[in-house]
Amino acid sequence: MERRDCDAMVLFGVTGDLAYRKIMPALYQLARRNVLTVPVVGVARQGWNLQQLTARVAESLKTFVPNADPAVVQRLIALLRYVDGDYNDRATFQALRSALGEAQRPLHYLAVPPSMFAVVVQHLSETGNTQGARVVVEKPFGHDLASARALNECLHRHFPEASIFRIDHYLGKEAVQNLLYFRFANSFLEPVWNRNFVSSVQVTMAESIGIAGRGRFYEETGAIRDVIQNHLLQIVALLTLEPPTLAEGEALRDEKVKVLRATRPLDPRELLRGQYRGYRDEEGVAADSTVETYAALALHIDSWRWSGVPFYLRAGKRLPVTATEVVVELRRPPADVFGSHGPELPNYLRFRLGPDVAIALGAHTKRPGPVMAGRDVELFVAQQQGEDMDAYEVLISAALIGDTAHFAREDEVEAAWRIVDPVLRGAAPPGEYQQGTWGPANAEDLIKGPCGWHNPGAHAPDWTRSCAR
Ligand code: NAP
């Protein structure tokens, strides 16, 4: 990878929620590690000045980095610049050009509503702010395949693909990167990582919270657009891609695109949508809303490695716990040597991606005693309390040096939309489920196989039901 560091960072949407909760704390951490040493220009229309921006940064750090080192805070504050103006006004971008001074390679971070992307990049281009520059765009990248294509075309009018960094913060998560590392840094996995040994794969992203006051946003989104099209499909791609020649640059993204293209578009008959009881009473939600707060579905990958292995994905709000887990179920031994005393659960690999991080192998050992009966055990390969580095810290530092590997490429985004596109419109109304349960009762019907869904627990698996043998 050719490394060309940015010499300034421009933060559009500096008064917004994302900047306050995620980007400012990440900038502090980057300043702490001396990764961020270039000017940071905030652009907003609130009539602020530099002092007010500084106060906002200080407030964010007080809330999200309570033990911030005052010397680092001062170092970060010394990097701040401010430009005031509306994004619909070209003069704002001329003022930005002046504020950037000698900078030749700015990183423009668009923490703004998607409806503003086009106008911001157009003005950047017209005012000489795109040459040598990179642009970071936040999800969502469109709301279906057609709008994602239109957005990509718009960005390409002003930036080459190599300069576009589409953030899916899941790709910056330590635990998600560990999937890739675990798969390709170990040789023992490869012989079993295919249709001959894997019987099915489950990916669960459960949240105990609801829509957290973001009713208006959620009404336009729903679980499929919000997390399945991006985060969950990225996880599936990392689990299933062929070995890349290198884990950086385009090699990794090429392999992700190949496996996403080999994935069949969703069949509405293999999708179950749910809505938690009480969702329609939330602020900003229509009284007759049919938006799903829960979705469970089966995916099929038509590749040499994965043909015939079902991938079951589900995501939902107001579920019993907040946890994201992958469970790769292995086939049973070919003969039942221990008869009725044999194991009930199949062997499995469990990747816990959040809030704590773990890789565990489900196995069976003999229970002490005269009978050849067993018990289920979990062997921990890795376990830690949480993430060391926030995903935004990882991704902003990668964008500053131009490492594209953990950002979504144009063809990758479009391949993922192609998979979900058939179920985005005209689906059957969602089934209602009680808050604090694992979704609509018929979610179990989707799973073909003896064990049903593996529900993550608050810390360990919560597989209370034994499997039929
Ligand atoms: P937000 O709180 O609504 O902030 C939007 C920002 O854009 C505000 O600073 C707003 O300025 C500014 N803005 C909008 N129109 C403008 C205009 N014409 N001129 C100047 N400034 C303008 O949104 P957000 O939650 O930070 O989200 C920003 C982006 O990140 C969105 O694309 C969102 O989908 C994405 N995202 C957010 C989160 C999150 O957790 N918040 C997570 C993932 C992705 P004013 O304050 O003056 O209105």
Side-chain angles (χ1 to χ4, degrees):
M1 181 194 82
E2 189 204 345
R3 185 172 160 163
R4 264 180 64 251
D5 291 8
C6 286
D7 53 6
M9 178 170 165
V10 180
L11 185 48
F12 291 96
V14 74
T15 53
D17 175 69
L18 186 69
Y20 183 70
R21 288 192 308 110
K22 290 291 180 186
I23 302 175
M24 289 169 184
L27 295 181
Y28 165 84
Q29 299 298 353
L30 294 174
R32 186 178 62 79
R33 293 195 288 120
N34 283 318
V35 172
L36 182 75
T37 53
V38 298
V40 177
V41 187
V43 190
R45 63 174 170 188
Q46 303 253 339
W48 281 7
N49 54 27
L50 184 57
Q51 225 177 351
Q52 278 158 302
L53 174 61
T54 303
R56 176 79 165 171
V57 170
E59 195 187 311
S60 158
L61 299 184
K62 208 167 128 195
T63 312
F64 299 107
V65 194
N67 299 320
D69 176 346
V72 179
V73 176
Q74 282 315 311
R75 239 176 26 234
L76 174 59
I77 283 174
L79 298 175
L80 298 177
R81 314 277 185 276
Y82 180 72
V83 170
D84 195 70
D86 197 288
Y87 302 156
N88 291 303
D89 184 356
R90 198 178 152 144
T92 307
F93 296 81
Q94 286 160 335
L96 170 64
R97 190 54 261 173
S98 308
L100 283 171
E102 300 290 302
Q104 297 294 315
R105 297 181 305 280
L107 176 73
H108 300 296
Y109 195 128
L110 272 48
V112 298
S115 57
M116 293 306 296
F117 289 169
V119 70
V120 172
V121 292
Q122 172 84 25
H123 278 135
L124 282 173
S125 176
E126 288 170 2
T127 50
N129 278 301
T130 48
Q131 275 151 11
R134 295 182 186 133
V135 64
V136 174
V137 283
E138 269 292 341
K139 77 161 204 173
F141 313 113
H143 54 270
D144 57 13
L145 179 57
S147 56
R149 280 188 178 139
L151 179 56
N152 280 329
E153 273 169 29
C154 162
L155 290 170
H156 285 154
R157 262 178 248 133
H158 310 291
F159 289 93
E161 178 60 31
S163 302
I164 302 172
F165 293 72
R166 298 175 190 80
I167 284 208
D168 178 338
H169 76 273
Y170 244 63
L171 295 179
K173 282 173 87 70
E174 189 69 33
V176 174
Q177 295 189 352
N178 205 1
L179 281 180
L180 186 70
Y181 199 90
F182 187 71
R183 272 198 66 195
F184 298 119
N186 295 304
S187 59
F188 63 83
L189 208 57
E190 178 59 18
V192 303
W193 209 249
N194 54 55
R195 64 192 306 277
N196 299 320
F197 287 85
V198 174
S199 58
S200 71
V201 178
Q202 296 186 16
V203 184
T204 298
M205 184 177 181
E207 290 177 279
S208 59
I209 59 164
I211 51 171
R214 297 167 76 209
R216 235 171 297 280
F217 159 79
Y218 209 78
E219 278 287 275
E220 308 223 321
T221 315
I224 298 173
R225 288 186 170 93
D226 191 29
V227 294
I228 292 182
Q229 182 273 341
N230 37 65
H231 305 331
L232 267 63
L233 286 183
Q234 285 290 348
I235 292 172
V236 170
L238 290 172
L239 286 168
T240 57
L241 52 74
E242 293 300 315
T245 46
L246 273 178
E248 61 180 39
E250 300 313 310
L252 175 63
R253 305 207 290 184
D254 287 345
E255 294 305 332
K256 278 205 268 175
V257 171
K258 278 189 213 160
V259 78
L260 289 171
R261 285 191 177 149
T263 304
R264 266 183 241 163
L266 289 177
D267 181 340
R269 289 168 303 183
E270 291 189 297
L271 166 73
L272 186 94
R273 298 188 322 127
Q275 189 184 75
Y276 64 78
R277 188 171 295 166
Y279 171 72
R280 293 176 180 187
D281 302 327
E282 304 257 12
E283 198 187 325
V285 172
D288 57 352
S289 172
T290 58
V291 168
E292 78 282 352
T293 59
Y294 172 99
L297 55 92
L299 265 191
H300 306 278
I301 301 176
D302 292 322
S303 70
W304 188 275
R305 189 186 285 269
W306 296 113
S307 177
V309 178
F311 285 74
Y312 299 111
L313 275 52
R314 66 179 165 162
K317 293 199 175 281
R318 292 272 186 226
L319 300 189
V321 294
T322 294
T324 301
E325 275 196 4
V326 173
V327 177
V328 179
E329 255 188 36
L330 302 181
R331 294 191 188 284
R332 290 179 182 282
D336 223 353
V337 176
F338 302 106
S340 61
H341 295 302
E344 289 193 349
L345 284 175
N347 288 137
Y348 63 87
L349 257 158
R350 184 169 69 89
F351 297 91
R352 184 153 168 115
L353 306 178
D356 50 324
V357 180
I359 300 177
L361 176 65
H364 311 288
T365 58
K366 183 183 166 298
R367 185 179 302 156
V371 186
M372 286 299 268
R375 62 182 169 190
D376 302 322
V377 292
E378 262 207 348
L379 311 174
F380 276 94
V381 181
Q383 190 172 27
Q384 64 195 57
Q385 281 315 303
E387 308 252 359
D388 281 346
M389 267 166 73
D390 183 77
Y392 277 88
E393 190 185 336
V394 175
L395 294 174
I396 295 172
S397 74
L400 283 168
I401 63 167
D403 179 1
T404 53
H406 300 294
F407 295 86
R409 203 169 64 187
E410 163 205 19
D411 45 1
E412 196 177 329
V413 170
E414 292 183 13
W417 276 119
R418 185 192 59 87
I419 295 167
V420 300
D421 215 50
V423 300
L424 294 177
R425 285 164 288 269
E432 198 180 52
Y433 62 96
Q434 287 278 12
Q435 297 189 20
T437 67
W438 283 103
N442 54 348
E444 289 296 336
D445 302 345
L446 194 75
I447 298 248
K448 293 184 183 68
C451 295
W453 287 106
H454 296 311
N455 295 334
H459 300 290
D462 185 18
W463 302 348
T464 44
R465 178 174 19 93
S466 58
C467 299
R469 298 181 59 236

